[in-house]
Amino acid sequence: MTPVTDTMTARETLQHWIEKGAPDAAAIDAFIEENTFPIVEPGSVTYVFHGEADGVTLRHFVFGLPSTQPLRRVANSDLWYLTLDLPDESRMEYKFELQLGEQGRWIEDPLNPHRALDPFGANSVLQSYGYERPDWTEHDPEAREGTIEELRFRSRALRHDYAVSLYKPARFRRTRRYPLLIVLDGGDYTHFSNMKTVLDNLIHRLEVSEMIVAFTHPRDRLNEYAAMPAHDEFLAEELLPRLESRYPLIGTAEGRGLMGASFGAIASFSTALRYPDLFGRLLLQSGSFAFTDIGEQQRGPAFEPVVEFVNRYRAKPVAIAEKVFVSCGMYESLIYENRSMVPLLQSTGMDVRYVESRDGHNWENWRDRMRDGLSFLFPGPLWMVYE
Amino acid sequence: MSRIALLGPQRLQPFVGEVARGLEPHGSGAVITAGWQEHEDAVVELHEHLDRPTHNLDLYKRAEEVLRHDPSFADAYRERQNELRELQAYYRLRLDAAIEGVTALERRPERGPRWEEAHADAMKALRTLDQEHAARVEEGNARFEKQHNPLEHDHIRKHRKQLRKMVDDASFVAIAGGHVAVLLNRLRLFGMAELLAGKTIIAWSAGAMAISETIVLFHDNPPQGAGNAEILENGLGLARGVLPLPHSKRRLNLASRERIARLTNRFAPLRCIPMDEGDRVDLDGGVLLKNRTYRAFTTAGAVETAGV
């Protein structure tokens, strides 16, 4: 067997072993030690698993690719690999399924330190060539920190107590008037999308206006967020007046926004539609805008009221806010629905900004798009401030 | 003869105290922090750096008081601000088209014998647009002053009397950065150009912009918009011949000499001065000194220093 040379890249080394046969265990251990995985190159990625298994399968959530793809063993070693073509600047969440005898088990990639958390646990994250986590999503010691105040009150519309975490910007002053953004799935946005840090940073950088943000915590999101009138009533007739009576808010449509992802985008949209001109700013991420032109919807019972709602809107689109920001990942099953919504929204005369990314239906995609969305809807004084 | 020092940002590595001691070793100071708006009075650190008796002129607070006491004047003042915003929006629309005219020429891979002429004409159109905008704003300001005569307003006269004494008693005036339009409005409202004339002034960031001849807003990579530099309006004109560009490392695409060259050519003969941490330029009697700390962008998009 010809030896591996010092000038070979990790991918070339792997290819060499695939063609010429695997080396001894010590060489494989050294290879694992010396490289980072998956192996990322322009236009492609190679997943690597090292360990005992009868089979290894890549399980991912990229719409458009087969969701299950087997890794291949390098000769008779315990090294497994799979190379995929993947556009640069992509993010992909995935797991490995290990087969040991009759047992199958899903695990995070042990060789990849990047993880994305979500309400169901964690996934490994592949960052393809050229992707960089935006620096404004990470703690900036220079950014002054806002504060969070916990509120709880009884909702008559929903007939249960409702929890809200209220963000106030650093250097908050009662003498100033602030815009208000109501964020649905507020706990997930702060926990999985780092939204408090994002707000601190973007406000510090003057890219986003100082604002008050109400992070709401749903009790039964699949029902409440599926265009439920009682939830719309809760936001518009209970939460909003309560906040406007207690905090120094601008109190006009252009100073009020709703934000949500997935079903949360539907709930935001539904409230804005039911109370037109109350909320002037909408930030809709990967909205579940499922619709049918003919036949039955195939997405399951939770989508029934959503499809009905979106179909109704599509039949008679109207302007419901002055500015709307829509984002969606190209690797989501909802990309078709979101792309379809954009011209429809624009046709009503609303100022619509649409951004796509090579990413999936997840909280880090939504995190990475916040600068685009928030600075469009609530621009900060960057242009005017020179400190 | 007035002495003016324009400094880079002072938040992280302040050296304003050192500059003040060099220019005016004795006497008390006065500070203007109206660009900080509601935080105007957060001057503890600044006073520590200056390390001598210092009075805040409180222009932001004084302006709020004037507007609170005279609702009809406040309405007229706000209406003028709305008018300025409207003018800026129209100018910005026209500016996008004018800049596209220049950059479209610069993008052409092949440049024929008449390219230079066409490019010069496009630049001239851009400069004309800038000048027209500055003139429109100036006309509006003059109209407002004629109609409302703010300097004869009772409250403003009272404040001006106090301000004149505070400025006269101080050996220098320090003008901090912040919101440049707010700062400029307050300086204008109290007719500070006249009160500051001849004084030793140390100004940084928005403060440096506000006392120069022309105020240019800029950011090559904003989160929204084209990032086209634009004139806000004329400044107080105390620091002549310079165009301060605070935070140039962060706000300008310094890697693009073509872009820097376009900026410097557009606003020539003003000298575009990058003003980052530690930067300082001096003017003595209105003359820009090319001393040890002098740096400026050239019309070729490079940076010149005193020794070059």
Side-chain angles (χ1 to χ4, degrees), chain A residues 113-246:
Chain A
H114 298 297
R115 296 282 182 277
L117 303 176
D118 65 24
F120 310 105
N123 287 314
S124 292
V125 181
L126 166 78
Q127 300 176 348
S128 84
Y129 186 81
Y131 173 86
E132 278 181 27
R133 179 174 171 172
D135 60 358
W136 46 265
T137 67
E138 301 190 79
H139 176 69
D140 176 354
E142 278 185 31
R144 296 181 180 97
E145 292 187 29
T147 56
I148 296 269
E149 179 182 339
E150 300 299 338
L151 311 174
R152 179 174 281 275
F153 64 95
R154 181 83 187 160
S155 164
R156 280 193 315 178
L158 292 170
R159 297 180 186 168
H160 62 68
D161 283 358
Y162 213 95
V164 175
S165 305
L166 198 81
Y167 171 88
K168 287 186 285 187
R171 307 173 97 189
F172 168 81
R173 291 214 166 188
R174 284 219 157 256
T175 49
R176 187 168 258 220
R177 298 265 158 201
Y178 296 91
L180 169 70
L181 178 65
I182 297 176
V183 179
L184 307 192
D185 285 317
D188 291 343
Y189 262 113
T190 48
H191 193 58
F192 304 122
S193 294
N194 228 12
M195 188 161 176
K196 179 183 176 293
T197 299
V198 168
L199 286 167
D200 287 343
N201 289 345
L202 295 180
I203 290 171
H204 167 71
R205 292 175 185 213
L206 310 166
E207 295 184 3
V208 166
S209 167
E210 290 184 335
M211 62 168 87
I212 291 180
V213 179
F215 293 102
T216 66
H217 305 289
R219 177 180 281 193
D220 177 14
R221 77 180 292 280
L222 280 185
N223 281 316
E224 289 174 4
Y225 287 1
M228 181 197 261
H231 186 263
D232 299 333
E233 187 184 331
F234 158 68
L235 291 180
E237 297 187 31
E238 295 180 350
L239 179 61
L240 181 68
R242 192 178 185 93
L243 295 176
E244 290 192 343
S245 68
R246 293 182 176 200

Side-chain angles (χ1 to χ4, degrees), chain B residues 147-164:
Chain B
Q147 199 173 344
H148 299 283
N149 208 356
L151 297 187
E152 293 304 314
H153 187 283
D154 283 349
H155 278 86
I156 294 176
R157 276 176 62 186
K158 179 194 80 181
H159 285 297
R160 271 197 103 217
K161 194 175 168 189
Q162 294 168 4
L163 289 167
R164 186 186 296 277

Side-chain angles (χ1 to χ4, degrees), chain A residues 61-63 86-93 116 125-128 131-132 134 286 327-335 356-369:
Chain A
F61 314 97
V62 174
F63 185 72
L86 197 67
D88 296 346
E89 296 181 30
S90 296
R91 277 182 73 265
M92 176 199 264
E93 297 197 9
V125 181
L126 166 78
Q127 300 176 348
S128 84
Y131 173 86
E132 278 181 27
S286 307
S327 71
C328 193
M330 290 181 212
Y331 304 155
E332 299 185 48
S333 69
L334 286 162
I335 186 69
E356 283 187 0
S357 54
R358 294 191 176 279
D359 211 322
H361 196 77
N362 59 64
W363 291 101
E364 295 194 356
N365 176 13
W366 301 330
R367 177 197 67 195
D368 287 3
R369 308 280 85 74

Side-chain angles (χ1 to χ4, degrees), chain A residues 142-144 171 173 175-176 204 206-207 210 325 353 371-373 375-376 381-387, chain B residues 9 11-12 37-39 92 177-181 205-206 209 217-219 223-224 228 230 232 247 251:
Chain A
E142 278 185 31
R144 296 181 180 97
R171 307 173 97 189
R173 291 214 166 188
T175 49
R176 187 168 258 220
H204 167 71
L206 310 166
E207 295 184 3
E210 290 184 335
F325 178 85
R353 183 76 47 93
R371 179 182 188 237
D372 286 338
S375 65
F376 171 61
L382 175 70
W383 204 238
M384 287 287 185
V385 174
Y386 303 78
E387 282 185 332
Chain B
R11 187 179 163 207
L12 298 179
Q37 303 173 82
E38 297 96 329
H39 307 290
R92 202 170 285 156
H179 195 296
V180 67
S205 298
M209 297 165 83
L217 309 175
F218 65 100
H219 198 300
Q224 303 291 331
N228 291 327
E230 63 187 37
L232 176 67
H247 298 283
R251 300 180 79 111

